[in-house]
Amino acid sequence: MFSDEVLKGKKILITGGGTGIGKSLGTRFIELGAEIVICGRREDVLKGTVDEWQKSGANASYVVCDLRIADKVETMFDEIWRDGPLDGLVNNAAGNFIARTERLSPRAFDSVINIVLHGSAYCSIAAGRRWIESKRKGTILSILTSAAWQGRAFMVPSATAKAGVLSMMRSLAMEWGPKGIRTVMVSPGIFPTPGASARLYPDPAEYEAQVARVPMRRVGQHPELANLCSYLMSEYAGFINGDCITMDGGAALLEGGGGTVQYLQGWGPEQWDEFRARAAQTISAQARTA
């Protein structure tokens, strides 16, 4: 589909790039000629991914950083810039879980808001300021969900944070567009990643039901999403600014974005306790085998 040099010469930072969608994007960007930097809190995960890429000759590196702390983000960007400025930023790091909102503690709410909204803001501002000061162009891609504009029951912190990122990207598109800085967004549907099913689909059978509701009757494939994001980060998309592209097989047109969890309204305390225990066991088992 693309020339293998469509991203040649571009240095791109992907937050949360050690696993899942972030890793898939990094892999594709590298294939298309980009230099990749990834960041996150778990050095073993970051190092494993970068080692994997470097074995195939990729120009890749990592920085350990807690995006929830503004000073840490600034330090990270100083370190990255010492080896040469970025050309692109992908705000991918996220956190989400299903819970009854009235039972959420402030700490649980903040755990999502701080990563998704504050982390995206800190990174976007750090990159944008440096681009503006040096009169360089840049592109910021943020990964959203349809909950950003539709809301989502039992996922209020994530929906709130993603809505904030959506507004921020649109605002920056207007403010920074004249300076040559683009903001673009993608709203993926169901793109399976390890651990996501356990956190977001309390009833295992509900996962299959969600897929069945997608008009295309399937989940998304990571290469499909990676190709779209590669296009948006390239010069071919140079006139796309402030817009969000939905890639979910048409699910956002149905039932509140294809991720409806309204059936949870009928759950009692015992079912919620059972789900939390099952989800914790699944995530723990996946962590041991990762």
Side-chain angles (χ1 to χ4, degrees):
M1 178 179 178
F2 297 116
S3 159
D4 58 8
E5 296 186 349
V6 72
L7 294 178
K8 185 177 181 180
K10 291 188 179 296
K11 182 178 178 181
I12 301 171
L13 168 65
I14 304 174
T15 67
T19 60
I21 287 175
K23 182 178 179 180
S24 295
L25 299 187
T27 299
R28 185 59 174 142
F29 291 173
I30 286 169
E31 291 173 349
L32 298 173
E35 173 186 351
I36 296 300
V37 184
I38 58 175
C39 70
R41 287 178 288 172
R42 295 183 294 168
E43 183 169 14
D44 58 331
V45 173
L46 298 172
K47 185 177 186 302
T49 296
V50 167
D51 286 348
E52 180 182 329
W53 285 337
Q54 288 180 342
K55 286 178 182 177
S56 63
N59 189 351
S61 60
Y62 71 87
V63 181
V64 178
C65 182
D66 188 340
L67 299 180
R68 301 171 298 180
I69 304 173
D71 289 346
K72 299 289 187 182
V73 172
E74 281 297 320
T75 299
M76 174 180 69
F77 273 81
D78 284 341
E79 180 178 341
I80 292 171
W81 239 259
R82 277 196 292 271
D83 294 326
L86 290 172
D87 299 284
L89 163 68
V90 179
N91 289 317
N92 168 74
N96 194 11
F97 51 82
I98 281 178
R100 292 168 288 180
T101 306
E102 71 273 15
R103 300 295 297 273
L104 283 175
S105 68
R107 182 177 179 181
F109 199 94
D110 288 348
S111 70
V112 176
I113 295 291
N114 288 343
I115 294 172
V116 178
L117 180 55
H118 293 172
S120 295
Y122 299 154
C123 289
S124 298
I125 292 170
R129 182 176 64 252
R130 287 166 172 79
W131 287 330
I132 291 168
E133 288 174 350
S134 59
K135 294 181 171 57
R136 291 182 62 90
K137 294 182 179 180
T139 303
I140 302 173
L141 167 65
S142 292
I143 305 297
L144 300 183
T145 69
S146 60
W149 57 89
Q150 292 175 320
R152 191 67 51 81
F154 303 102
M155 300 183 197
V156 171
S158 177
T160 302
K162 292 292 189 181
V165 175
L166 172 65
S167 181
M168 176 174 64
M169 291 295 100
R170 287 176 170 170
S171 300
L172 291 177
M174 294 182 285
E175 182 175 345
W176 289 353
K179 303 178 187 299
I181 299 171
R182 294 189 300 121
T183 67
V184 289
M185 296 156 280
V186 173
S187 173
I190 304 175
F191 284 81
T193 58
S197 296
R199 291 191 298 270
L200 302 180
Y201 299 98
D203 183 349
E206 182 59 22
Y207 176 79
E208 297 301 327
Q210 293 289 349
V211 175
R213 293 185 184 107
V214 177
M216 297 295 292
R217 297 296 189 268
R218 68 173 178 88
V219 299
Q221 303 299 316
H222 282 229
E224 295 174 317
L225 181 60
N227 278 329
L228 172 61
C229 292
S230 297
Y231 167 71
L232 291 173
M233 294 300 291
S234 77
E235 298 305 315
Y236 290 117
F239 203 49
I240 299 177
N241 186 33
D243 204 2
C244 180
I245 298 175
T246 299
M247 183 179 245
D248 67 356
L253 303 174
L254 302 170
E255 299 187 46
T260 179
V261 287
Q262 288 301 112
Y263 72 96
L264 297 175
Q265 298 285 7
W267 273 24
E270 291 183 358
Q271 287 167 297
W272 279 104
D273 290 343
E274 180 185 352
F275 159 59
R276 283 196 296 269
R278 186 170 64 244
Q281 291 173 355
T282 302
I283 293 170
S284 177
Q286 290 172 336
R288 290 195 299 270
T289 59

